[in-house]
Amino acid sequence: MAFIDYYKALGINKNATEKEIKTAYRKQARKYHPDVNPNDKEAHKKFQEVNEANEVLSDPDKRKKYDQYGTDWKHADQFEQQAAQQQYNGRNYDSGRAYSGGFTEDDFSDFFNSMFGGQGGGFGGSRGQARYKGQDFNAELNLNLRDVYHSHKQTLTVNGKNIRITIPAGIENGQTIKIKGHGGAGVNNGPTGDLYITFNIANDPEFKRVGNDLYKTAHIDLYTAVLGGEITVGTMDGRVKLKVPAGTQNGSKVKLKGKGFPKYKKEDEFGDLFITYDVKIPTNLTDEQKRLFTELAKS
Amino acid sequence: MPQQALISADEFCTSHNIEFSYMRNLQEFGMIELVTRHEVNYIPENQLEKLERILRLHDDLDINLEGIHAVTQLLQRISQMQSEIIRLQNRLRLYEDF
C-alpha cells in the first residue's frame, strides 16, 4: 500500500485554497471523467485518483488529518481507532442520482481506506445514500473464425460465476459486446454493472475475411485453366462445384454470391466469397511432355 | 417492429431531481427522443443510457447544454473512428499474417 500524494494528483500546492482545490478538481475531472474517456482504463484509474484526492482535500477534517500524517500515515492507527468511535457527519448528500460510470466506493485506494476507513462520499462528495451502479467488468474472448460463422452459446466464467452468453454470428475481431447486469454489484440498491466482452478472432488458414466477404485461393492445373473444366471448392458451409471456363488466367477471380460471412445481427444475410485462381505450372516434365509443349509453342 | 419499453418522464424527473423543461431542452437540441402517448411524456428505453450520460456530464462536470451537445457529438465521432480503426486493423492483419 503506497502513500498517495493527493496534492500532486490535483496539480496544486499544499497551501491551495478551497477554491483552488475545487477548480483543480473540476479541471482534472473533466479531463479524466469516464464518460468522456470511454473504454480508457488509464483515464478511469486517474479519475478515481483525482476523485479520491478531492474527497480528502475538499473536506477540512480529512485534509487536516491527511496533512498531519502525510507520508507517515502508517502510524495513523491511533487515529483510526478514534475515527471508529466518532460519528462522522461528512456524508451530507442531497441527491439520489446514480452515477453509472463504473465508479463505486470499492474503488477507493487501500491507502484511502486505511486512513479514512472507507468514508468515501462518492463522486462530487455530495451524494449521501446515493445509488451507484456496480463496476463494469471487461473480459476478452479468443475465438477462431469458424467459431463465429454460426451464432452459438458459450459458458464463460467471470469473477468465479458462470454465465451463458450467445455469441452472435458475424461478430468482428476487436468488437466489444455488452452483457447487461453481469458486472459488479451496485451500492445502496444501485443497478448492477455490465460485462463488456471484446472478441479476439484469429485468422483462418483457408479464408481471409474482409468485413462480410471471404477470400480464398483455389489451385487449378494448367490444363483445366487452358481447356476449362470443373473443380470442387470448400466454402464455410460445405463444398461447391465450380465451372472453370477455358482460358482462365492466373490470378483471375470469381464471386460466389452469398457464400461469404454472415452479416452481424442480420439473419440470413451473408457476404460473398471471392475465389482467386492460382494456376499451377507443371514442373518435372517428361521428354514427351517437353516435346508436346515445344510443338504447342511452335503452333 | 419490436416493441419498445417506455419510461414515464415524470417518474424519471422525480427520481433524478430534474425539471421536465430540462428534458424538453435536450429534445429540442436533438440530443434525446421523447414519446407522447395520450398527453403523457415517456422516454424510450433506448434513450436511457444516453440521457443518464448527459445528466452525469451536466452534474459531475458542470457542463452546460451546448457543451454536452458538443461532447456527445465528439464522442459519437470517436466511436465511429474506433470502429473504423478496428476495421482497418483487421484488414492490415490479413497482410501481416498471410
Side-chain angles (χ1 to χ4, degrees):
Chain A
M1 207 188 319
F3 169 74
I4 299 171
D5 188 338
Y6 290 141
Y7 290 100
K8 202 174 159 190
L10 291 183
I12 51 175
N13 64 43
K14 292 200 170 181
N15 303 319
T17 61
E18 274 183 41
K19 197 181 167 197
E20 283 169 337
I21 292 169
K22 193 177 172 186
T23 308
Y25 168 62
R26 285 279 171 211
K27 191 176 161 191
Q28 299 284 57
R30 278 195 191 106
K31 194 171 169 187
Y32 296 114
H33 195 280
D35 279 320
V36 290
N37 295 278
N39 305 323
D40 185 340
K41 286 175 195 163
E42 269 308 302
H44 196 171
K45 205 172 133 193
K46 194 82 187 155
F47 175 72
Q48 286 165 5
E49 194 178 302
V50 166
N51 185 37
E52 190 174 296
N54 180 62
E55 181 72 27
V56 173
L57 300 184
S58 67
D59 180 323
D61 280 350
K62 284 183 188 155
R63 186 179 179 185
K64 195 176 155 197
K65 285 158 201 161
Y66 177 76
D67 287 344
Q68 189 183 346
Y69 290 101
T71 50
D72 211 18
W73 61 276
K74 279 186 181 169
H75 299 120
D77 291 356
Q78 288 172 312
F79 159 70
E80 273 191 57
Q81 282 166 9
Q82 289 165 16
Q85 289 159 9
Q86 284 176 2
Q87 284 295 317
Y88 279 98
N89 299 315
R91 301 179 68 173
N92 184 25
Y93 308 103
D94 57 8
S95 159
R97 183 167 303 162
Y99 169 66
S100 42
F103 188 81
T104 71
E105 290 191 12
D106 289 343
D107 288 326
F108 284 101
S109 67
D110 290 344
F111 168 68
F112 179 95
N113 288 328
S114 169
M115 196 161 190
F116 299 103
Q119 302 162 48
F123 186 59
S126 60
R127 301 277 174 75
Q129 310 309 319
R131 293 178 298 114
Y132 293 98
K133 182 179 176 185
Q135 195 176 3
D136 290 336
F137 293 158
N138 292 289
E140 288 192 3
L141 189 57
N142 298 317
L143 296 169
N144 292 318
L145 188 66
R146 285 168 194 271
D147 293 335
V148 289
Y149 183 74
H150 295 290
S151 292
H152 69 281
K153 289 190 185 295
Q154 192 161 338
T155 304
L156 306 177
T157 306
V158 180
N159 278 15
K161 283 182 192 164
N162 284 343
I163 56 164
R164 196 157 170 77
I165 61 163
T166 301
I167 298 169
I171 200 153
E172 186 102 27
N173 177 53
Q175 197 174 332
T176 302
I177 62 169
K178 180 168 95 173
I179 313 288
K180 217 170 157 54
H182 280 94
V187 175
N188 291 334
N189 292 325
T192 311
D194 302 319
L195 168 65
Y196 289 86
I197 302 175
T198 302
F199 290 86
N200 298 322
I201 299 165
N203 278 334
D204 188 88
E206 202 180 335
F207 297 95
K208 286 182 189 180
R209 178 186 180 189
V210 179
N212 300 313
D213 294 330
L214 290 174
Y215 290 81
K216 178 184 172 142
T217 301
H219 304 289
I220 53 172
D221 60 49
L222 179 68
Y223 314 106
T224 308
V226 173
L227 304 171
E230 202 174 72
I231 60 164
T232 307
V233 181
T235 70
M236 275 281 190
D237 67 345
R239 299 184 76 76
V240 292
K241 278 185 181 170
L242 267 186
K243 276 190 178 162
V244 181
T248 293
Q249 298 293 319
N250 184 43
S252 58
K253 282 190 178 76
V254 286
K255 180 168 92 174
L256 304 185
K257 209 167 161 50
K259 289 285 178 190
F261 220 68
K263 294 184 181 176
Y264 181 68
K265 296 219 164 163
K266 288 183 180 170
E267 215 171 319
D268 296 329
E269 284 189 41
F270 291 80
D272 303 321
L273 170 62
F274 293 87
I275 305 282
T276 304
Y277 288 122
D278 175 44
V279 180
K280 290 280 170 207
I281 305 296
T283 52
N284 303 323
L285 296 176
T286 61
D287 287 346
E288 178 60 11
Q289 283 169 327
K290 275 183 193 165
R291 190 187 63 75
L292 288 168
F293 270 108
T294 311
E295 263 186 48
L296 266 177
K298 284 178 188 167
S299 63
Chain B
M1 217 174 112
Q3 274 207 331
Q4 167 107 268
L6 297 173
I7 294 118
S8 152
D10 274 353
E11 268 182 43
F12 185 89
C13 288
T14 308
S15 74
H16 285 74
N17 201 18
I18 55 166
E19 297 285 332
F20 180 71
S21 58
Y22 187 74
M23 302 251 285
R24 190 59 86 196
N25 282 340
L26 292 173
Q27 187 192 27
E28 282 164 10
F29 263 80
M31 290 159 72
I32 58 160
E33 288 164 26
L34 295 174
V35 172
T36 307
R37 296 257 194 283
H38 309 294
E39 296 182 6
V40 179
N41 295 301
Y42 294 97
I43 306 157
E45 195 187 13
N46 64 4
Q47 299 293 300
L48 210 53
E49 194 176 337
K50 205 168 13 173
L51 183 56
E52 284 180 343
R53 188 173 60 215
I54 289 170
L55 294 178
R56 286 196 301 271
L57 290 170
H58 175 260
D59 258 29
D60 295 350
L61 302 182
D62 254 355
I63 303 178
N64 63 14
L65 265 184
E66 289 80 358
I68 293 170
H69 192 216
V71 169
T72 47
Q73 282 192 325
L74 287 171
L75 285 172
Q76 202 178 350
R77 191 145 167 68
I78 288 173
S79 168
Q80 284 166 351
M81 287 167 85
Q82 277 171 336
S83 304
E84 182 68 4
I85 287 171
I86 288 174
R87 204 180 62 79
L88 292 172
Q89 277 174 338
N90 286 341
R91 269 197 107 124
L92 188 63
R93 210 165 61 122
L94 292 174
Y95 299 101
E96 285 171 344
D97 290 5
F98 279 85

